[in-house]
Amino acid sequence: MRLFATDVDGVLTDAGMYYSESGDEWKKFNTRDGMGIKLLQRAGLITAIVTQERTRLVARRAEKLAIPELHQGVLDKLSLIREMAARHGLSLSQVAYIGDDINDLESLQAVGFSASPADGMPEIRRAVDYVCRKKGGEGAVRELADMILVAQGQVASFKSHVSRSGKRS
């Protein structure tokens, strides 16, 4: 894998939409998912967010994680993923994508490795290569990131990060 792309609502979040009386919108992101994205970046993968929604919250999260490919308001996710892969000189077989709902289905079926959080829609869970043990917003992205790192032989990179932090798993 050379490019890792993720949906937001239901993958990086718990799929909840939280609103205050004043109309403010909140989303809860998991810090472990964020670390998984950072570890993928350190291993040389291009990271991307591809979402139908368009919010400043998601832009702030992508900025905090230094995700170079942020795409919001995307109605045709597969076309965007194809374009992104081509721009980076990659084939779709070099793309991993995690999504949870019907608007992700075409993309999930086209990429080299597809995944769904444990609580993804049933038709999505049936269509993907891997169903995470973790739910959306509860570490599914981290689980997948760790799996990709291990599969690519990046365990040394993962372990060196752990040893620098002074903690072992």
Side-chain angles (χ1 to χ4, degrees):
M1 294 294 108
R2 300 275 321 280
L3 188 150
F4 176 84
T6 179
D7 181 31
V8 175
D9 294 318
V11 178
L12 288 173
T13 75
D14 63 4
M17 298 279 191
Y18 304 95
Y19 297 98
S20 71
E21 282 292 323
S22 62
D24 293 329
E25 181 180 346
W26 295 294
K27 294 180 188 289
K28 180 186 82 158
F29 294 95
N30 187 299
T31 59
R32 291 182 184 119
D33 287 340
M35 179 54 75
I37 289 169
K38 297 306 290 178
L39 291 170
L40 289 171
Q41 291 169 342
R42 288 180 192 144
L45 276 77
I46 300 158
T47 54
I49 287 177
V50 181
T51 181
Q52 208 167 342
E53 295 287 320
R54 184 180 295 277
T55 67
R56 179 67 191 128
L57 288 166
V58 171
R60 284 176 44 206
R61 186 66 176 149
E63 183 180 326
K64 182 172 183 155
L65 295 174
I67 295 173
E69 294 280 353
L70 169 62
H71 302 279
Q72 297 195 77
V74 178
L75 299 178
D76 184 351
K77 292 183 177 188
L78 180 55
S79 290
L80 184 275
I81 290 170
R82 279 189 176 125
E83 181 276 322
M84 196 171 26
R87 192 165 22 87
H88 289 284
L90 305 174
S91 68
L92 285 179
S93 67
Q94 295 172 294
V95 176
Y97 182 70
I98 181 169
D100 71 311
D101 213 333
I102 197 71
N103 61 335
D104 298 306
L105 184 59
E106 279 186 314
S107 300
L108 291 165
Q109 292 173 329
V111 297
F113 189 74
S114 61
S116 169
D119 59 341
M121 295 303 294
E123 57 271 32
I124 299 304
R125 292 193 318 264
R126 285 191 297 270
V128 297
D129 298 311
Y130 180 73
V131 177
C132 298
R133 294 182 311 273
K134 302 281 188 179
K135 293 179 180 179
E138 296 182 9
V141 168
R142 176 59 181 270
E143 178 182 335
L144 186 58
D146 288 350
M147 194 172 109
I148 290 169
L149 291 169
V150 168
Q152 291 192 340
Q154 295 288 334
V155 178
S157 169
F158 180 75
K159 284 183 179 177
S160 73
H161 175 77
V162 171
S163 66
R164 280 196 307 269
S165 71
K167 298 193 181 197
R168 300 189 72 135
S169 54

